[in-house]
């Protein structure tokens, strides 16, 4: 073995190929919830979400009509379903505080959940929470509690889902969870009393996030992978049922607008 191929080992030295083979055969250490423990690994999913939100915020402030093309409202969600999720990566154009507060909150709980649940479960949790928030906004319009044309933006719904998930994971682990419960209570209070905040999106994200995390946390170890695959399908199916019901209750004037060409819809809804 040449000196360049030598690697220190517990006893003597090993070649590069032996070190690589030993690393491949070494069993991964997992958390109680299935996440793989990778010492020194960065929370790449959380950082990626933050990066997407920051890039989107820059585009909102520099690209004409960018926010209008991607924000969510019950009306536009019917015509362009992608808005159910894209709104979770947008923020108020005129307020740096909005995106700053959300990104700080995301950084506070995101890396913990990313480690505990694993990257795939974590990103699924985030997206389902965002979707749940949008669906509850739609249900609120169907019940007459809010406007069909009222737009919402922000990662808050998804982040509330992470709050709910963090509470479930901490409680399941036997760790004190009063602090995260207090954060949830205070933020939900602000959602109801401060004008301009979508309590519907926050509530929907919180409920979906907590339920998804509970399914992950209480799944038997031998069925953990099955739950991770089946659960998102079940949640999406249930949200689709609510969505179908809500759109079936739309007022006649809203349904009439849906029959118009897209350019005319845009002129009427987004016009000056």
């Amino acid at each position: 073995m040449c000196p360049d191929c030598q690697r220190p080992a517990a006893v003597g030295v090993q070649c590069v190929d032996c070190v690589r083979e030993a690393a491949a055969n070494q069993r991964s250490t997992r958390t109680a919830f299935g996440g793989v423990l990778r010492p020194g690994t960065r929370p790449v999913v959380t950082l990626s979400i933050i990066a997407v939100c920051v890039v989107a915020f820059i585009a909102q402030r520099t690209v004409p009509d960018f926010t209008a093309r991607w924000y969510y409202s019950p009306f536009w969600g019917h015509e362009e379903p992608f808005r159910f999720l894209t709104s979770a990566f947008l923020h108020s154009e005129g307020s740096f505080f909005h995106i700053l507060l959300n990104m700080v909150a995301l950084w506070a709980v995101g890396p913990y959940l990313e480690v505990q649940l694993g990257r795939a479960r974590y990103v699924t949790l985030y997206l389902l929470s965002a979707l749940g928030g949008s669906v509850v906004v739609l249900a609120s319009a169907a019940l007459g509690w809010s406007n069909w044309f009222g737009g919402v933006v922000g990662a808050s719904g998804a982040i509330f889902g992470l709050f709910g998930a963090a509470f479930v994971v901490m409680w399941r682990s036997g760790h004190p969870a009063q602090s995260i419960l207090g954060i949830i209570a205070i933020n939900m209070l602000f959602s109801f009393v401060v004008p301009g905040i979508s309590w519907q999106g926050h509530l929907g994200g919180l409920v979906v996030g907590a339920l998804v995390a509970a399914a992950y946390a209480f799944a038997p170890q031998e069925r953990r992978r099955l739950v991770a695959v089946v659960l998102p399908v079940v949640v999406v199916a249930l949200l689709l049922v609510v969505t179908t019901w809500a759109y079936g209750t739309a007022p006649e004037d809203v349904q009439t607008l849906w029959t118009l060409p897209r350019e005319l819809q845009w002129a009427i809804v987004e016009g000056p």
Side-chain angles (χ1 to χ4, degrees), residues 76-270:
W76 282 122
H78 180 274
E79 299 298 278
E80 298 173 337
F82 61 80
R83 292 176 182 252
F84 276 82
L85 286 178
T86 56
S87 62
F89 298 94
L90 304 179
H91 291 83
S92 174
E93 296 180 30
S95 173
F96 286 97
F97 181 74
H98 187 209
I99 186 172
L100 178 62
L101 183 63
N102 277 343
M103 295 304 98
V104 169
L106 175 58
W107 184 251
V109 296
Y112 169 73
L113 289 173
E114 186 172 342
V115 169
Q116 294 299 317
L117 299 178
R119 291 170 178 169
R121 293 180 182 86
Y122 171 64
V123 72
T124 301
L125 169 71
Y126 187 91
L127 294 176
L128 288 177
S129 299
L131 184 60
S134 295
V135 170
V136 172
V137 171
L138 170 61
S140 174
L143 293 171
W145 298 345
S146 57
N147 195 302
W148 282 86
F149 301 96
V152 294
V153 294
S156 304
I159 292 172
F160 264 82
L162 299 188
F163 284 158
F167 171 77
V168 171
V169 169
M170 293 173 69
W171 176 59
R172 177 62 169 156
S173 303
H175 297 150
Q178 292 86 346
S179 58
I180 192 69
L181 191 61
I183 292 173
I184 293 172
I186 292 172
N187 280 276
M188 280 305 302
L189 178 62
F190 275 111
S191 300
F192 283 101
V193 301
V194 176
I197 296 180
S198 174
W199 62 265
Q200 300 93 333
H202 292 181
L203 180 62
L206 176 65
V207 171
V208 171
L211 290 177
V212 170
Y216 288 155
F218 288 92
Q221 183 174 355
E222 64 275 10
R223 297 185 179 179
R224 190 179 289 153
R225 187 179 298 274
L226 177 63
V227 170
V229 173
V230 174
L231 179 65
V233 177
V234 173
V235 173
V236 170
L238 292 174
L239 293 176
L240 280 174
V241 170
V242 176
T243 299
T244 302
W245 161 79
Y247 279 129
T249 68
E252 185 176 347
D253 60 330
V254 174
Q255 296 191 29
T256 300
L257 281 176
W258 286 331
T259 65
L260 301 177
R262 188 63 51 85
E263 294 77 11
L264 189 53
Q265 290 177 346
W266 182 265
I268 294 173
V269 178
E270 303 293 339

Side-chain angles (χ1 to χ4, degrees), residues 11-90:
V11 178
V13 295
Q14 293 181 343
C15 69
V16 175
D17 292 334
C18 292
V19 172
R20 187 181 297 113
E21 182 179 354
N25 293 330
Q26 186 176 6
R27 296 188 64 181
S28 301
T29 303
R30 292 185 176 272
T31 69
F33 308 100
V36 178
L37 291 174
R38 302 179 178 90
T41 302
R42 293 185 177 184
V44 294
V45 175
T46 301
L47 290 171
S48 297
I49 295 172
I50 291 174
V52 171
C53 289
V54 170
V55 170
F57 183 70
I58 294 172
Q60 286 181 261
R61 295 178 60 87
T62 57
V63 179
D65 292 332
F66 186 87
T67 302
R69 295 290 182 182
W70 299 97
Y71 80 88
Y72 171 76
S73 71
F75 175 83
W76 282 122
H78 180 274
E79 299 298 278
E80 298 173 337
F82 61 80
R83 292 176 182 252
F84 276 82
L85 286 178
T86 56
S87 62
F89 298 94
L90 304 179

